[in-house]
């Protein structure tokens, strides 16, 4: 089959491969699983933000009805080789060892016949604490008088970086990691007509995935391990379990059924090590399912303070940017170093500069650990960068859209020295959202209200850094296709899209492709389902596996028919040779015998290492999101009414248009929530809205009067058939686009999120006074 022919499966409006199972309730998630003899785990959490654990008395709990095991930090040494985990820094204990570092830190755990019995036993555990000073935020943690959250810094690693990038572990008190990127000469600031310095603050959101953190773990005889879990990166998780328990990876099976949402939270260890400890203690399978309230105490987005210094010419030409970003990492490092890389690297946005100097530090505080979140550092960077671009344009008397167009990195132009070329025409996308909201056109506002327009561009590298993926495609004698790969179906439609790629290449209908369940014992390796990598990284591996199978089949048929491979086509498991049709099954049994045969093809993809690239590999692709907003502001109350929100993403080539649209629209609404009201609220170190009824997320009634999503297919992507990853891009530009529109409407700039009526009104009053 030639890929120049019209596509029959890719890009077609076909039913999702998992649609029927999900609509009918047959789809199985980890939370649905059970095993005979299964126990239930519950944990006791710290009531203090920071305290030394003086003693733990489990005497009563040990003997309560239904209780099979009680675990505490001091007891862990008997059951694990290494009681801590983490990405770059191994600092998070399975259970608190000698101190707790945030309110919600896990102190003790019980495995019992029922959850109720486990909860009763937790109430009988007595813990004596000696309180220590809390560090509720970045300012407190960096205060000269602040105590060290880790008096002895845990061990960690700094990965290799390319030209211009570097990082340090523990560069100063309560900072666990600092990333820096620099290029060009700083003295170009001297030639700038203007230098603007501004500070922005970014609020913290929770992922709000509907399926909780949950696993079902079993320590089997012979030190075999089986874990079913709601997880985005089963292979790195397997590696971490092997390290913690000192068990060979080939004795560990990590299985991942459907995942009910994650948005970055479900990477690396969450419930799994503790469930395995309890299973090892009892010899029985253990289910550890957190409540939604516990999820708020497990992982969050990073709050941040971002200080930008930007040099610019009078005509709006950008020259230089220096930035200092402080991420609130919470009590443990989690993925903070990775987020620091991205926030620090992306802070310039999609624009051309002669000099960049960016530092991003991860500050430890006595709050919930922060980790990956949809957009992975791009949300924080875009908020500050796109806000300041707009501010500078207005200070210079230049239309903000005109200034953006003047400075955008062009299609195919390397974003930074050593980087790959940008693979979207960003001016084209900006024009689309501007047109959709009627940018610049005068529109009437209600009495007392003022109307304004705002634009923003979200920009991030996509596909992950140094990320390998493998895939395998098998086809039976009868033409039934098995696709094996490690991409987790987390609601984004990856099973459908990757199956479409295989079906297209093998000339088969989609229903012939079976996406096999993910089990690390036999599924080919994948680094994880994140960074919008499924279609561009795994997609290329899947494409190569399918092409390998197709080529084997055609070669076998050509030899059997005594003709050239180029004369044959594969269509619905039939060989087409001119006007002749040869069903494959009889040919295969003739060649390989009556039992038939399976054709197997393997595929692999990884961006090549390149020390000239700042992050050691060039970006696989560039994920862009454009947003335009038309709104009104009530000058008397500060209320904001959004008349139109237009967002756009570039899929390169959409494998499934409806799925792509769903990704763009979902991401945009998460951005809308962050802009207008969504945030985790702390009173000191205590989270006060950590439950579903208290935590405000976007509702149907929050939809703007006009909500438009424009799916672009600019066809410059590196994935199969020109596809690019998506799903994060349209979240990034929404908050700054709204802030920019508010300034356009009432002339005040809000630099803190969310953009509440109270903040807007306070800014209006301050400006008028």
């Amino acid at each position: 089959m030639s890929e120049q022919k019209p596509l029959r499966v890719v890009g077609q409006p076909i039913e999702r491969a998992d649609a029927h199972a999900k609509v009918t309730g047959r789809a199985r998630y980890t939370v649905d699983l059970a095993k005979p003899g299964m126990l239930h785990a519950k944990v006791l959490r710290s009531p203090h933000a920071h305290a030394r654990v003086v003693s733990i008395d489990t005497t009563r709990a040990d003997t309560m009805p239904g209780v099979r095991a009680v675990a505490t930090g001091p007891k862990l040494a008997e059951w694990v080789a290494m009681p801590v985990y983490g990405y770059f820094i191994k600092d998070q204990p399975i259970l608190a060892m000698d101190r707790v570092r945030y309110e919600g830190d896990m102190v003790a755990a019980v495995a019992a016949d029922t959850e109720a019995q486990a909860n009763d036993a937790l109430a009988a555990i007595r813990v004596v604490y000696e309180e220590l000073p809390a560090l509720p935020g970045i300012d407190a943690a960096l205060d000269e008088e602040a105590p060290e959250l880790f008096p002895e810094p845990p061990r960690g690693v700094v990965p290799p970086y390319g030209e211009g990038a570097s990082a340090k572990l523990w560069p100063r008190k309560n900072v666990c990691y600092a990333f820096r990127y620099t290029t060009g000469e700083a003295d170009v600031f001297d030639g700038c007509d203007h230098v603007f310095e501004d500070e922005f603050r970014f609020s913290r959101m929770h992922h709000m995935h509907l399926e909780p953190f949950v696993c079902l773990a079993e320590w089997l005889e012979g030190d075999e391990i089986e874990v079913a879990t709601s997880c985005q990166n089963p292979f790195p998780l397997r590696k971490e379990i092997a390290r913690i328990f000192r068990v060979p990876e080939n004795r560990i099976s990590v299985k991942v059924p459907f995942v009910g949402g994650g948005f970055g939270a479900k990477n690396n260890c969450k419930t799994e090590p503790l469930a395995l400890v309890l299973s090892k203690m009892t010899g029985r399978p253990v289910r550890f399912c957190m409540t939604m309230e516990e999820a708020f105490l497990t992982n969050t987005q990073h709050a941040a303070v971002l200080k930008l210094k930007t040099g610019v010419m009078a005509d709006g030409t950008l020259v230089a940017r220096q930035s200092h970003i402080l991420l609130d990492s919470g009590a443990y490092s989690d993925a903070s170093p990775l987020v620091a890389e991205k926030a620090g690297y992306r802070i310039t946005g999609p624009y051309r500069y002669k000099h960049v100097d960016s530092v991003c530090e991860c500050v430890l505080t006595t709050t919930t650990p922060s980790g990956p979140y949809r957009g992975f550092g791009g949300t924080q960077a875009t908020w500050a960068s796109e806000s300041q671009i707009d501010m500078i344009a207005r200070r210079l008397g230049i239309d903000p859209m005109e200034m953006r167009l003047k400075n955008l990195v062009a299609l195919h132009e390397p974003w930074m020295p050593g980087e790959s070329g940008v693979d979207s025409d960003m001016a084209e996308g900006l024009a689309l959202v501007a047109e959709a909201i009627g940018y610049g056109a005068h529109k009437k506002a209600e009495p007392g209200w003022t109307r304004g327009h705002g634009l923003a561009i979200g920009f991030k590298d996509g596909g992950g850094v140094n990320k390998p993926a493998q895939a395998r495609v098998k086809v039976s004698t009868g033409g039934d296709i098995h696709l094996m790969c490690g991409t987790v179906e987390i609601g984004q439609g990856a099973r459908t899209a990757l199956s479409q790629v295989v079906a297209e290449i093998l000339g088969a209908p989609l229903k012939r492709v079976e996406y096999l369940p993910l089990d690390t014992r036999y599924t080919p390796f994948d680094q994880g389902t994140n960074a919008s990598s499924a279609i561009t990284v795994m997609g290329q591996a899947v494409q190569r596996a399918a092409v390998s199978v197709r080529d084997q089949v055609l070669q076998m048929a050509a030899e059997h028919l005594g003709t050239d491979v180029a004369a044959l086509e594969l269509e619905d498991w039939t060989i087409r040779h001119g006007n002749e049709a040869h069903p494959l099954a009889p040919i295969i049994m003739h060649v390989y015998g009556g039992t038939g045969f399976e054709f197997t093809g393997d595929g692999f993809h990884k961006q090549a290492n390149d020390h000239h690239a700042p992050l050691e590999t060039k970006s696989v692709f560039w994920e862009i999101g454009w947003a335009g907003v038309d709104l009104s502001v009530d000058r008397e109350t500060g209320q904001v009414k959004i008349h139109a929100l237009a967002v756009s993403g570039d899929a390169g080539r959409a494998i499934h248009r409806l799925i792509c649209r769903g990704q763009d629209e979902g991401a945009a609404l998460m951005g809308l929530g962050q802009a207008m009201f969504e945030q985790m609220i702390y009173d000191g170190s205590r989270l006060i809205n950590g439950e579903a009824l208290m935590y405000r997320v976007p509702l149907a009634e929050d939809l703007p009067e006009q909500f438009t999503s424009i799916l672009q297919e600019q066809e410059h992507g590196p994935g199969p058939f020109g596809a690019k990853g998506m799903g994060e891009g349209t979240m990034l530009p929404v908050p700054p686009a709204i802030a920019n529109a508010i300034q356009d409407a009432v002339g005040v700039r809000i630099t803190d999120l969310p953009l509440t009526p109270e903040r807007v009104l306070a800014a209006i009053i301050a400006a008028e006074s």
Side-chain angles (χ1 to χ4, degrees):
M1 186 197 77
S2 167
E3 283 148 20
Q4 300 302 316
K5 294 176 61 177
L7 302 177
R8 299 181 304 176
V9 182
V10 165
Q12 302 305 312
I14 54 181
E15 182 179 295
R16 281 179 65 133
D18 54 3
H20 197 262
K22 288 186 173 178
V23 170
T24 59
R26 288 191 297 102
R28 298 276 283 174
Y29 297 78
T30 303
V31 75
D32 299 319
L33 305 181
K35 283 189 172 184
M38 181 179 79
L39 301 175
H40 297 267
K42 285 293 174 185
V43 296
L44 182 68
R45 296 178 179 272
S46 168
H48 303 292
H50 190 197
R52 191 169 69 85
V53 179
V54 177
S55 63
I56 306 176
D57 181 358
T58 66
T59 306
R60 282 187 57 214
D62 288 334
T63 58
M64 290 180 69
V67 173
R68 307 299 174 181
V70 180
T72 63
K75 292 181 181 177
L76 286 178
E78 185 179 347
W79 302 99
V80 305
M82 296 288 289
V84 293
Y85 56 87
Y87 289 72
F88 288 9
I89 304 170
K90 306 301 182 188
D91 62 344
Q92 185 155 4
I94 297 171
L95 291 170
M97 305 299 290
D98 58 354
R99 72 167 64 190
V100 291
R101 295 181 174 84
Y102 73 100
E103 193 173 312
D105 216 347
M106 296 195 293
V107 178
V110 171
D113 293 343
T114 68
E115 289 191 345
Q117 290 170 330
N119 281 323
D120 288 345
L122 292 179
I125 296 174
R126 296 290 174 260
V127 184
V128 177
Y129 298 95
E130 177 188 331
E131 286 196 65
L132 299 168
L135 308 173
I138 289 172
D139 293 340
L142 297 180
D143 189 279
E144 290 184 1
E145 303 300 321
E148 294 267 16
L149 202 53
F150 284 90
E152 296 182 12
R155 289 186 299 175
V157 298
V158 174
Y161 288 108
E163 291 181 2
S166 61
K168 288 183 180 177
L169 289 168
W170 306 102
R172 57 174 170 149
K173 184 169 63 177
N174 292 325
V175 174
C176 64
Y177 199 83
F179 171 83
R180 182 173 187 179
Y181 174 67
T182 182
T183 185
E185 300 299 326
D187 60 7
V188 296
F189 269 111
D190 298 338
C192 292
D193 293 327
H194 304 277
V195 176
F196 298 104
E197 297 188 53
D198 298 288
E199 179 175 313
F200 303 88
R201 289 183 178 258
F202 186 87
S203 54
R204 171 188 287 194
M205 296 211 302
H206 177 54
H207 304 76
M208 282 298 287
H209 40 81
L210 289 182
E211 186 187 27
F213 292 113
V214 57
C215 78
L216 175 53
E218 186 167 13
W219 194 285
L220 300 163
E221 287 186 15
D223 288 341
E224 299 268 347
I225 289 174
E226 282 189 7
V227 183
T229 180
S230 184
C231 167
Q232 295 178 231
N233 63 343
F235 288 92
L237 174 63
R238 181 186 67 177
K239 182 180 178 184
E240 194 76 322
I241 290 172
R243 187 190 59 79
I244 290 171
F245 292 98
R246 201 165 291 163
V247 172
E249 291 186 48
N250 60 8
R251 304 184 78 84
I252 301 170
S253 164
V254 178
K255 302 176 182 178
V256 183
F258 285 117
V259 171
F263 309 110
K266 291 178 177 175
N267 283 287
N268 216 12
C269 298
K270 293 295 181 291
T271 55
E272 301 85 1
L274 183 56
L276 281 167
V277 167
L278 294 169
S279 179
K280 193 174 181 181
M281 292 173 73
T282 60
R284 292 170 62 173
V286 173
R287 178 180 188 264
F288 182 12
C289 182
M290 292 189 189
T291 63
M292 183 167 283
E293 289 76 16
E294 288 181 296
F296 278 92
L297 300 174
T298 301
N299 207 236
T300 78
Q301 187 187 36
H302 289 80
V305 178
L306 305 99
K307 300 176 182 178
L308 304 188
K309 174 183 173 183
T310 301
V312 59
M313 304 307 293
D315 67 354
T317 302
L318 295 168
V319 177
R321 172 168 283 178
Q322 292 180 351
S323 62
H324 188 191
I325 304 169
L326 299 170
L327 298 176
D328 186 338
S329 297
Y332 300 105
S333 63
D334 198 84
S336 291
L338 288 161
V339 178
E341 275 182 10
K342 299 301 185 181
Y345 193 46
R346 296 165 174 167
I347 192 62
T348 59
Y351 307 109
R352 196 180 296 111
Y353 291 89
K354 293 180 179 177
H355 167 66
V356 175
D357 189 0
S358 174
V359 174
C360 186
E361 295 183 296
C362 306
V363 183
L364 295 174
T365 65
T366 50
T367 59
T368 302
S370 305
Y373 191 97
R374 197 173 196 170
F376 222 110
T379 46
Q380 293 89 347
T382 302
W383 163 243
S385 179
E386 284 298 286
S387 292
Q388 201 199 30
I389 290 295
D390 222 77
M391 294 162 71
I392 291 172
R394 295 177 194 279
R395 288 163 177 161
L396 298 179
I398 301 172
D399 179 89
M401 181 174 176
E402 180 184 327
M403 180 163 165
R404 286 184 169 84
L405 292 171
K406 185 181 188 68
N407 291 284
L408 283 174
V409 176
L411 178 65
H412 303 314
E413 179 182 347
W415 175 62
M416 288 288 162
E419 263 295 1
S420 57
V422 170
D423 50 14
S424 286
D425 183 334
M426 292 187 280
E428 183 178 326
L430 189 63
L432 286 173
V433 295
E435 182 182 4
I437 64 162
Y439 181 79
H442 177 71
K443 295 181 180 178
K444 287 185 178 179
E446 298 174 26
W449 294 68
T450 311
R451 205 146 176 171
H453 292 155
L455 301 171
I457 303 175
F459 182 88
K460 65 184 286 289
D461 49 302
V465 175
N466 218 3
K467 186 177 192 299
Q470 293 175 291
R472 182 166 300 139
V473 172
K474 299 196 307 176
V475 189
S476 70
T477 302
D480 299 319
I481 304 167
H482 302 254
L483 170 57
M484 304 165 70
C485 69
T487 295
V488 175
E489 177 54 61
I490 200 166
Q492 81 282 44
R495 286 193 183 197
T496 304
L498 294 171
S499 297
Q500 285 178 267
V501 170
V502 173
E504 187 69 56
I505 292 169
L506 293 179
L510 182 62
K511 63 183 180 182
R512 275 189 180 271
V513 184
E514 179 71 13
Y515 194 104
L516 293 184
L518 199 166
D519 184 334
T520 55
R521 285 206 173 212
Y522 59 80
T523 303
F525 181 85
D526 179 47
Q527 194 185 76
T529 304
N530 44 44
S532 301
S533 61
I535 203 64
T536 44
V537 179
M538 181 58 76
Q540 293 193 66
V542 167
Q543 181 181 31
R544 287 168 187 155
V547 167
S548 172
V549 168
R550 184 194 66 191
D551 291 350
Q552 292 173 50
V553 171
L554 290 176
Q555 183 63 42
M556 182 273 306
E559 291 174 5
H560 176 76
L561 297 173
T563 188
D564 190 78
V565 169
L568 304 181
E569 290 186 8
L570 178 60
E571 182 180 321
D572 201 13
W573 213 232
T574 296
I575 295 295
R576 299 286 178 186
H577 183 207
N579 293 326
E580 300 173 3
H582 302 274
L584 267 166
I587 297 175
I588 293 169
M589 287 188 286
H590 177 83
V591 173
Y592 293 99
T595 54
F597 184 65
E598 272 193 353
F599 294 88
T600 302
D602 288 342
F604 169 75
H605 181 74
K606 178 187 170 301
Q607 196 79 334
N609 290 1
D610 183 349
H611 190 65
H612 295 298
L615 300 186
E616 278 285 295
T617 58
K618 292 179 179 177
S619 179
V620 181
F621 74 100
W622 299 97
E623 187 167 0
I624 323 292
W626 297 264
V629 173
D630 170 25
L631 56 72
S632 290
V633 180
D634 183 348
R635 301 188 68 92
E636 297 295 322
T637 65
Q639 284 190 311
V640 175
K641 184 186 297 181
I642 299 178
H643 304 294
L645 168 62
V647 296
S648 183
D650 176 18
R653 177 69 173 259
I655 303 298
H656 193 295
R657 290 184 59 85
L658 191 59
I659 289 175
C660 292
R661 182 181 163 192
Q663 287 292 295
D664 268 353
E665 294 181 358
L669 288 184
M670 288 182 82
L672 180 70
Q674 180 138 44
M676 303 303 290
F677 38 74
E678 192 171 343
Q679 64 174 329
M680 293 175 68
I681 302 172
Y682 282 87
D683 180 5
S685 293
R686 172 163 295 177
L687 178 64
I688 60 174
N689 66 336
E691 57 177 285
L693 288 176
M694 303 276 289
Y695 184 79
R696 175 82 157 88
V697 295
L699 307 172
E701 65 199 43
D702 295 314
L703 277 172
E705 296 169 13
Q706 177 185 324
F707 178 36
T708 307
S709 67
I710 306 166
L711 179 63
Q712 298 178 63
E713 295 182 82
Q714 295 194 10
E715 301 187 357
H716 304 300
F721 309 99
K724 290 175 63 174
M726 59 189 312
E728 301 177 284
T730 52
M731 179 177 181
L732 310 183
V734 174
I738 293 174
N740 296 341
I742 289 173
Q743 182 170 13
D744 188 50
V746 291
V748 299
R749 170 58 57 171
I750 315 297
T751 55
D752 293 13
L753 283 174
L755 305 165
T756 60
E758 293 82 0
R759 282 199 171 120
V760 175
L761 182 60
I764 292 172
I765 292 172
E768 291 175 346
S769 63

